[in-house]
Amino acid sequence: MANFEIFDKPTETELKMECDYEGLRKIKMTQESGNATANRSIIIYATDCGIDEQNSELIFVASAGFIKPKDVEFEWKNFDTLTIRYNKKLEIFEQKKESESVNPKITFEYIAE
């Protein structure tokens, strides 16, 4: 019990990483574990391919106590549009419509199911 940490830093697990058709932009989806004060969450980041992932742009954050990797999916619709499908029961914290730092820009289309 002495080593039990209630407020441990969540662990991050990569669920999916995919570059666009031209290999210019990369989308990464991760799951973070929860702790005593936070639910598990799924996070989607965007970055230019070949650039350090420390500078990734946060695109989408969803959370719930029951969240599963299959509750959020993404796919490239065309060269500049990414479709993100998610379970409508999730709590959404971030949902960008367009990338800010990735070049060329990506438009995000959201579908709640």
Side-chain angles (χ1 to χ4, degrees):
M1 192 69 172
N3 291 330
F4 181 70
E5 295 287 334
I6 293 177
F7 302 107
D8 265 351
K9 182 179 179 188
T11 57
E12 184 177 82
T13 304
E14 185 176 309
L15 299 175
K16 182 178 178 182
M17 184 174 62
E18 192 173 294
C19 284
D20 66 8
Y21 305 113
E22 301 290 323
L24 300 173
R25 299 153 305 175
K26 179 173 37 177
I27 303 297
K28 179 180 172 183
M29 183 168 71
T30 64
Q31 179 173 341
E32 286 191 358
S33 63
N35 59 27
T37 61
N39 287 327
R40 289 185 293 167
S41 59
I42 293 182
I43 303 169
I44 297 179
Y45 301 94
T47 188
D48 294 320
C49 285
I51 291 185
D52 182 19
E53 290 186 13
Q54 297 290 341
N55 298 322
S56 297
E57 180 179 348
L58 185 66
I59 301 302
F60 178 82
V61 180
S63 181
F66 57 85
I67 198 166
K68 299 178 200 84
K70 67 179 183 171
D71 287 334
V72 179
E73 298 176 349
F74 71 84
E75 66 181 343
W76 288 97
K77 183 175 181 180
N78 56 41
F79 177 73
D80 62 353
T81 305
L82 185 79
T83 301
I84 299 172
R85 297 178 192 280
Y86 63 92
N87 184 328
K88 64 183 176 185
K89 295 180 181 179
L90 299 178
E91 185 174 358
I92 308 302
F93 292 102
E94 180 78 35
Q95 195 173 26
K96 286 192 176 177
K97 300 220 183 278
E98 184 177 81
S99 64
E100 297 169 1
S101 63
V102 178
N103 193 9
K105 291 196 179 294
I106 306 169
T107 303
F108 302 104
E109 174 183 84
Y110 296 95
I111 301 173
E113 300 176 326

